[in-house]
Amino acid sequence: MVDGEAVKAVLRTQRVELPSWAFGNSGTRFKVFAQRGVPRDPFEKIADAAQVHRYTGVAPSVALHIPWDKVADYAVLAAAAKDLGIELGTINANVFQDDDYMLGSITNPDPRIRSKALNHLYECVDVMDQTGSRDLKLWFSDGTNYPGQDNIRARQDRLAEGLQAVYERLGENQRLILEYKLFEPAFYTMDVPDWGTSFAHCLQLGERAKVCVDTGHHAPGTNIEFIVAFLLRAGKLGAFDFNSRFYADDDLMVGSADPFQLFRIMFEVATAGGFAEDTEIAFMLDQCHNIEPKIPGQIRSVMNVQEATAKALLVDLEVLDAAQRAGDVLGANAVLMDAYNTDVRPLLADLRSEQGLDPDPMAAYAASGYAERIVAERVGGQQAGWGA
Ligand code: RM4
Ligand code: MN
């Protein structure tokens, strides 16, 4: 039996980073539905993120997306976050929303556009210097739609060159986190389609370049926990972008489509020591709440991460190891399933009470009146979002 107190001790140190964009309006390519009370600027986004931390106690940072979260003075934004009890986290670059990037950003055949994209990435490093962020997370929409459209190998060369230039620009405590995605928006080739491509580029770059596993960025049926185990063994898992998917990059709430998969991923993290207090893994959410209210959507997501983590930590590793060594297939599998089938909600409720939090974060937020307040206060102005 795994000791519940030991599980709680680890859960107390767990940190989940929230995406600023989850608080803005979002939608599909067909329609963005506006919700009342949605933030109109980065300050209101961090205020909403602080609510999630207030009721969960494990979400003390928020990732920014530049230029969506562009402000005149990032020190002022960082100070505002601090006043709210949170901090600014990962900086996400955006080289996918400009007409110039139609044929790619740092892999574009046109050197002028490559240099424009690179300058944006440098700008993001400058922002990191002001916010004190450790990580620069890069996701490229670059790729091609048609066979023969561009030279696949030349695009890899340009990618390597661009990444190298940004990597050299980073300070010694800063990291480059390279995300991959199999398709969309490009439909024939993506320049960073899979973990292997990201891994190979990160290896070439050096120690401070790591892979980001976005759980929605794989082909259906991909064994994501295998990828996680492999990257952890190689010391190259830098971050998670958590979300759920049924079909493509659905960006639904983590743990909603396949909680068992999330458990299996967390189990690999646990066995590799990835929940240590000084973990190198950034546990982030990358989600959109198109039809559900955003702040409770984030609270629910953080709770789902906690539940999967608690179950993973409940796996009795000694008994599992003995069963594995004995070749006891069913016994070993039963150890995992016992942990997965444990209802960890009472344990998490206890933990929250011990931490001075409400045992039911969803109910506590609903009762707080915050949702009604932002609807009343946030009138006029332009709501945050990226439009359809
Ligand atoms: C991309 C990718 C990035 C995120 C953007 C909004 O699909 O997942 O991580 O920053 O979407
Ligand atoms: Mn992502």
Side-chain angles (χ1 to χ4, degrees), residues 177-197:
I177 306 291
L178 183 58
E179 186 172 348
Y180 58 90
K181 182 175 174 181
L182 83 162
F183 86 100
E184 199 201 26
F187 295 121
Y188 171 53
T189 60
M190 287 291 276
D191 292 325
V192 191
D194 52 28
W195 70 271
T197 309

Side-chain angles (χ1 to χ4, degrees), residues 24-35 290 294 384-388:
N25 282 325
S26 61
T28 66
R29 65 202 172 91
F30 301 105
K31 169 71 181 162
V32 168
F33 296 104
Q35 291 187 17
N290 301 346
K294 294 155 199 305
W386 60 70

Side-chain angles (χ1 to χ4, degrees), residues 21 92 137 139 179-181 212-217 240-243 249 251 285-287:
W21 53 100
N92 290 261
K137 180 146 71 66
W139 174 71
E179 186 172 348
Y180 58 90
K181 182 175 174 181
C212 172
V213 174
D214 183 314
T215 47
H217 287 190
F240 281 107
D241 263 5
F242 283 124
N243 50 57
D249 186 22
D251 279 340
L285 304 181
D286 177 11
Q287 303 178 169

Side-chain angles (χ1 to χ4, degrees), residues 74 119 121-122 156 172 189 303 314 381:
Y74 289 94
N119 281 329
L121 303 186
Y122 290 154
Q156 285 300 308
E172 57 181 54
T189 60
M303 292 170 71
L314 277 174

